[in-house]
Amino acid sequence: MDAQGRGRAGGIDPADQWVFDPETGSYELRLDQAGEPATAPREASAAASGPAPRTSPRQAPARPKPGGGRTVPGQRGTAAGGRRGAGAKATAAGRRRPKPKKKAARKKKVLMWTGGTIGLVLVVCTVGGYLIYQHLNDNIDKIDVGINNSVFDKGPLNILVIGTDKRSGKGNTGYGDDGSVGHADTTVLFHVSEDRTNATALSIPRDMITDIPDCPTKQKNGSTKTIPGSKGVRFNESLGQEDRDPGCTWRTVEQLTGLKVSHFMMADFNAVKELSSAVGGVEVCVAKDINDRDSHLKMTKGRHTVEGEQALAFVRTRHSVGFGGDLSRIELQQQFLSSMLRKMKSGDTLTNPKKLYDLSDAATNSLTVDTGIGSISKLTSLAKELRKVNLKNVTFATVPVLDNPADGKTHKTVILDKPKAEPLFAMVRQDVSLTEEKEKEKKAQEQADAKQAALLQGPKAEPAKVRVKILNGSGRVGAAQETVAWMQNSKGVAHSSNGGNAAGGKKDKTLLEFAPNQADQARRLAEDMGLPVDALKQTTADAPPTGEMTLTLGADFKGAGVPVSAPKKAPEGIQKVEADDENICAK
């Protein structure tokens, strides 16, 4: 069908959308509906006498019509004396037609352009969003552990996070023991309270001796095989060994803690590298230079942002920190995970579409999960629950253990410290937050400090009325007599005496003991000595009129006239860490 035919059928030939604008002397793309002019016809006499416009390769020139009118392609013209006789006669008489309002035409164009743009964006986003959804869905690896856990309960959540040290697959080779199926090398049970206000992450030492229960495992052919349990073996054997799957680690953790596991997520070496890079690096801290030949971590003392291979080296390091064992490495991992959680929830990540996509892509591509959360929609639902927890209410803790007596002096394995572990497990089972307990302790301490600080508020006795006996527990010979001389000669405290050495030997801190009716004397002495508020101890009964206070000098005493309390501001140029920085430097 040709252009004319399409026009009669109500369609618009793209060529017909280019029209000549006599005001600008150029062609424009007409987006108006068919049958309406994009530009106003000019006066007949002026059009006839003016120069002919250049034609577009896709448009024929305007053709004069009987009566002096002019039409443009795609426009319905009217001949003189035709159906629009009055209008034709008016044109023939040389009178101008009123110009259409340009604002309305331009407004229509803007609306059409805007509508078209929004429509295009919606289509692209819909298609792109679907493709991204499918891509992320296809990334996810799932393992059916034979436990029905597809429904999100409204109760507490227990997510078992397993880090395997397998040496096969993308990004996992080159770390020794190539081809190993891997163990439960790093295991964290992440408990989220029912009200989603707090969470506790329990790290389970891999070298802890425990019992592994019988483990039904799904086979590739769809059948189920029960792998016999083992008694008195390392916890890390709950995965990989004897063809055990994450369901075996799942059951072992439930037997150990009494907590019902909701879901699991398993990550390998490559996951650490990919996730750390996706968030733009994770900040860590070490208190000394590290050059570990086993993990290949080379790091100078201080704070660093690690990703990729360096991030993996950091979480694998153990021989160069602490006591050189798995418990020291757990501290590094807890520091790393805490920092990465903060980075994931930071505004810089949440408001950056590229970082969000990279993180989602890396997470789905690197993690293996149970079938209960084996889709983007289910992982999203889980994420919505987890993000309700404020990071300040997340506590990392290590399951209490003791050196295994059966090892002798080698200290290769550990055993559960039941007197400490059982109360901890009970707290987690009953949703008692470790953070909330810390908050309660903090508030109690603040109240105690306020009460103690009140001791320094009030009148101070004159130096001549202060009576004090000084005991030496500082470890410095002659400190008591030195202080007596200073008080009498420099501060006017004539009733000060040397009581000799303190009972029990050296004391850590200086302490001033006084009766309620000696509070004004204590304030005077605290001011002269520069005593901190925690150095004051008030007894319950009043002292006789000539009774003495007792000042015991401790190891914090540096000399007569030197304030015992620390300065309020640190000296310039020293290395320091702000209190609100939750990272702990690995020692």
Side-chain angles (χ1 to χ4, degrees):
M1 184 182 293
D2 59 15
Q4 186 178 2
R6 286 194 294 272
R8 284 195 300 270
I12 301 175
D13 184 355
D16 291 342
Q17 291 182 287
W18 288 94
V19 296
F20 180 75
D21 186 348
E23 291 188 354
T24 63
S26 62
Y27 287 87
E28 294 181 352
L29 178 64
R30 187 189 69 184
L31 295 177
D32 300 66
Q33 63 186 15
E36 294 185 5
T39 58
R42 310 294 292 173
E43 184 183 5
S45 57
S49 61
R54 291 180 296 173
T55 59
S56 165
R58 298 178 62 93
Q59 176 189 357
R63 297 184 298 276
K65 301 198 71 174
R70 181 188 294 261
T71 61
V72 295
Q75 174 187 347
R76 296 174 188 158
T78 55
R83 288 188 299 275
R84 299 181 183 176
K89 290 176 183 178
T91 303
R95 289 176 297 185
R96 290 181 180 273
R97 287 181 180 174
K99 288 185 179 181
K101 294 181 179 179
K102 289 231 173 230
K103 284 187 178 180
R106 287 173 182 164
K107 184 176 182 181
K108 183 185 289 186
K109 287 183 180 182
V110 170
L111 289 174
M112 293 188 73
W113 269 112
T114 304
T117 303
I118 292 175
L120 178 63
V121 169
L122 288 175
V123 170
V124 170
C125 288
T126 301
V127 175
Y130 174 76
L131 292 177
I132 291 174
Y133 180 90
Q134 284 300 107
H135 170 72
L136 296 178
N137 244 353
D138 293 341
N139 277 351
I140 301 173
D141 289 329
K142 301 178 287 290
I143 294 179
D144 184 356
V145 295
I147 301 174
N148 183 15
N149 62 327
S150 59
V151 178
F152 283 106
D153 295 325
K154 294 186 180 298
L157 285 170
N158 293 302
I159 312 300
L160 184 63
V161 181
I162 306 171
T164 175
D165 61 350
K166 73 173 184 176
R167 266 75 167 184
S168 60
K170 177 185 176 183
N172 297 316
T173 59
Y175 301 101
D177 197 17
D178 284 351
S180 170
V181 294
H183 308 75
D185 195 52
T186 299
T187 306
V188 178
L189 182 60
F190 192 77
H191 170 83
V192 182
S193 65
E194 183 173 4
D195 60 8
R196 307 300 188 252
T197 60
N198 62 82
T200 301
L202 290 176
S203 294
I204 303 174
R206 68 173 190 176
D207 295 328
M208 182 179 66
I209 299 299
T210 189
D211 295 338
I212 300 174
D214 292 345
C215 179
T217 59
K218 292 279 187 177
Q219 305 298 301
K220 292 182 179 179
N221 61 7
S223 64
T224 299
K225 173 185 175 182
T226 298
I227 300 174
S230 301
K231 292 186 177 296
V233 296
R234 295 178 192 240
F235 174 85
N236 66 353
E237 293 183 23
S238 63
L239 176 69
Q241 310 308 301
E242 308 296 334
D243 292 329
R244 293 187 175 108
D245 67 6
C248 297
T249 307
W250 181 317
R251 292 173 175 86
T252 303
V253 170
E254 287 188 337
Q255 177 178 275
L256 175 69
T257 65
L259 287 156
K260 182 176 177 57
V261 175
S262 308
H263 302 282
F264 85 84
M265 295 180 179
M266 185 168 66
D268 54 22
F269 287 164
N270 195 53
V272 175
K273 294 187 286 187
E274 295 288 339
L275 289 172
S276 61
S277 295
V279 297
V282 178
E283 186 181 80
V284 296
C285 180
V286 291
K288 62 181 180 180
D289 294 348
I290 292 179
N291 187 358
D292 193 295
R293 60 184 179 84
D294 294 303
S295 69
H296 306 297
L297 178 66
K298 293 183 179 180
M299 184 174 288
T300 57
K301 176 182 177 181
R303 296 190 174 277
H304 302 267
T305 298
V306 297
E307 61 177 288
E309 289 287 351
Q310 192 179 27
L312 177 60
F314 183 84
V315 299
R316 292 184 66 226
T317 295
R318 58 173 174 157
H319 295 300
S320 299
V321 293
F323 296 104
D326 186 49
L327 297 181
S328 297
R329 187 181 62 163
I330 285 175
E331 294 179 6
L332 286 186
Q333 293 168 351
Q334 291 175 346
Q335 178 192 154
F336 179 86
L337 289 173
S338 298
S339 183
M340 188 160 72
L341 283 175
R342 284 193 292 275
K343 190 67 175 288
M344 285 180 175
K345 294 193 73 170
S346 69
D348 180 53
T349 300
L350 296 178
T351 60
N352 188 317
K354 184 180 185 304
K355 281 190 177 181
L356 276 177
Y357 173 77
D358 289 345
L359 180 58
S360 301
D361 189 42
T364 54
N365 200 38
S366 303
L367 298 176
T368 299
V369 300
D370 60 273
T371 52
I373 51 175
S375 69
I376 289 300
S377 59
K378 292 176 181 177
L379 282 172
T380 301
S381 297
L382 176 60
K384 288 180 180 178
E385 294 299 310
L386 297 179
R387 74 182 183 187
K388 295 177 183 177
V389 184
N390 192 315
L391 283 180
K392 71 178 183 179
N393 294 327
V394 177
T395 304
F396 281 85
T398 302
V399 171
V401 292
L402 300 168
D403 288 333
N404 187 2
D407 290 341
K409 296 181 179 180
T410 57
H411 296 164
K412 293 181 179 179
T413 60
V414 293
I415 59 173
L416 187 69
D417 186 352
K418 290 186 177 181
K420 293 181 180 178
E422 289 303 331
L424 175 62
F425 294 154
M427 290 176 66
V428 177
R429 287 194 296 265
Q430 296 174 29
D431 269 0
V432 178
S433 169
L434 302 185
T435 303
E436 286 182 353
E437 287 300 304
K438 290 178 182 177
E439 288 297 320
K440 290 178 182 178
E441 292 174 5
K442 181 179 178 180
K443 289 180 180 178
Q445 185 62 49
E446 288 175 348
Q447 293 174 353
D449 289 345
K451 184 177 180 181
Q452 186 75 4
L455 296 176
L456 293 176
Q457 306 301 316
K460 300 179 180 66
E462 294 295 324
K465 295 182 178 180
V466 175
R467 295 176 177 271
V468 60
K469 178 175 61 177
I470 302 172
L471 304 177
N472 186 8
S474 67
R476 299 176 64 225
V477 177
Q481 186 56 44
E482 175 189 344
T483 304
V484 169
W486 174 75
M487 283 187 176
Q488 293 178 350
N489 298 328
S490 300
K491 295 298 179 181
V493 181
H495 299 292
S496 56
S497 62
N498 183 354
N501 292 328
K506 188 176 180 179
K507 308 297 181 183
D508 291 333
K509 293 184 178 181
T510 298
L511 181 67
L512 174 62
E513 297 174 274
F514 60 95
N517 61 338
Q518 296 172 325
D520 58 341
Q521 298 180 50
R523 295 185 193 106
R524 169 62 62 189
L525 194 61
E527 181 180 85
D528 292 344
M529 292 282 296
L531 297 178
V533 66
D534 58 358
L536 274 62
K537 180 180 179 181
Q538 181 174 279
T539 59
T540 55
D542 283 345
T546 58
E548 293 178 309
M549 300 182 295
T550 301
L551 174 65
T552 303
L553 303 177
D556 54 355
F557 174 76
K558 302 304 178 184
V562 179
V564 174
S565 59
K568 300 298 182 182
K569 184 178 180 181
E572 295 292 333
I574 68 167
Q575 175 68 30
K576 59 181 180 179
V577 178
E578 299 296 337
D580 59 354
D581 190 334
E582 298 180 14
N583 287 329
I584 301 175
C585 282
K587 297 180 180 179

